[in-house]
Amino acid sequence: GQNIDQPTEMTATEGAIVQINCTYQTSGFNGLFWYQQHAGEAPTFLSYNVLDGLEEKGRFSSFLSRSKGYSYLLLKELQMKDSASYLCAVRDNDYKLSFGAGTTVTVRA
Amino acid sequence: IAGITQAPTSQILAAGRRMTLRCTQDMRHNAMYWYRQDLGLGLRLIHYSNTAGTTGKGEVPDGYSVSRANTDDFPLTLASAVPSQTSVYFCASSEGLAGNNEQFFGPGTRLTVL
């Protein structure tokens, strides 16, 4: 099985940077995904990591360390529209995703 | 382009009733999934299908059944609903299983069982 931990809530100021950490303990690993979910909406894909290192996509970056069972999502130049839940998900060797409970980020003016 | 659709949007159901949640995708994706999302627990996989004609059990399959008669449709059935099945249900699909094949999610069905 998978055990995926991420903080419940984070608050940051518009224009700032926020880092959301995710740690996992798994029986198999075949990639890590980050999703964004606005309140009342469906999750949408943000990033994918399968090798160690940093993946950058515009204002969002995601990092993976497989040996440490650790990932983070970095959100730069925060905007009000970035207020949402951010879900860390690990894919196992059977290609099934297990999700963390999500981190709710609140961006304040 | 519709992507992935779910019906109904929301439903209130009496305990013991049978209910089928519908999911249709027009992206010709091979894999489809059903999740439930409960406060504080995140998304949990109920059932999945890697390709038409095959299905598998996820983390919380009890009380639910699925079928995959064709590529596009993946209905989820609650044979006899119970209050603990009150949740938001998301259907998802992906083109394949491996690599950077992201899952695309439908808009969700909010189900309340009384």
Side-chain angles (χ1 to χ4, degrees):
Chain A
Q2 318 280 38
N3 185 27
I4 300 166
D5 291 314
Q6 48 181 129
T8 303
E9 294 180 332
M10 301 183 75
T11 301
T13 305
E14 196 173 16
I17 298 173
V18 69
Q19 177 175 314
I20 306 169
N21 296 324
C22 172
T23 58
Y24 61 89
Q25 292 144 359
T26 66
S27 56
F29 179 84
N30 203 343
L32 187 143
F33 295 78
W34 284 95
Y35 283 81
Q36 181 189 58
Q37 185 177 25
H38 285 100
E41 298 183 7
T44 55
F45 170 78
L46 284 179
S47 69
Y48 167 73
N49 295 73
V50 68
L51 299 176
D52 290 352
L54 189 68
E55 295 284 340
E56 296 185 85
K57 287 175 70 174
R59 293 189 299 113
F60 298 114
S61 304
S62 57
F63 172 83
L64 174 67
S65 168
R66 288 172 296 169
S67 63
K68 295 182 179 178
Y70 168 70
S71 173
Y72 68 73
L73 180 70
L74 197 68
L75 286 62
K76 299 178 240 182
E77 301 169 19
L78 277 173
Q79 301 175 11
M80 299 299 288
K81 67 179 182 179
D82 297 330
S83 291
S85 285
Y86 292 86
L87 314 178
C88 175
V90 175
R91 185 170 59 195
D92 64 20
N93 290 334
D94 292 327
Y95 303 106
K96 297 194 291 290
L97 279 184
S98 293
F99 284 82
T103 299
T104 299
V105 172
T106 301
V107 181
R108 293 186 172 163
Chain B
I1 298 175
I4 183 163
T5 58
Q6 294 183 233
T9 302
S10 64
Q11 182 75 45
I12 299 174
L13 189 67
R17 296 297 296 269
R18 180 184 178 89
M19 175 74 191
T20 295
L21 308 185
R22 299 184 298 279
C23 175
T24 299
Q25 53 102 359
D26 64 1
M27 297 176 283
R28 306 303 293 171
H29 283 175
N30 288 311
M32 296 187 74
Y33 315 85
W34 274 106
Y35 295 90
R36 59 177 290 173
Q37 187 172 39
D38 302 289
L39 198 63
L41 293 178
L43 287 155
R44 291 181 291 168
L45 183 66
I46 304 170
H47 285 288
Y48 65 95
S49 169
N50 290 340
T51 188
T54 69
T55 63
K57 294 182 179 180
E59 181 185 352
V60 288
D62 294 343
Y64 306 95
S65 63
V66 292
S67 61
R68 186 89 185 275
N70 57 61
T71 297
D72 299 344
D73 302 300
F74 191 43
L76 176 74
T77 297
L78 289 68
S80 178
V82 295
S84 62
Q85 292 178 311
T86 293
S87 188
V88 180
Y89 292 85
F90 286 101
C91 179
S93 70
S94 63
E95 185 173 357
L97 300 178
N100 62 351
N101 280 295
E102 68 197 78
Q103 292 186 15
F104 293 83
F105 285 80
T109 294
R110 184 173 296 274
L111 181 68
T112 302
V113 182
L114 301 175

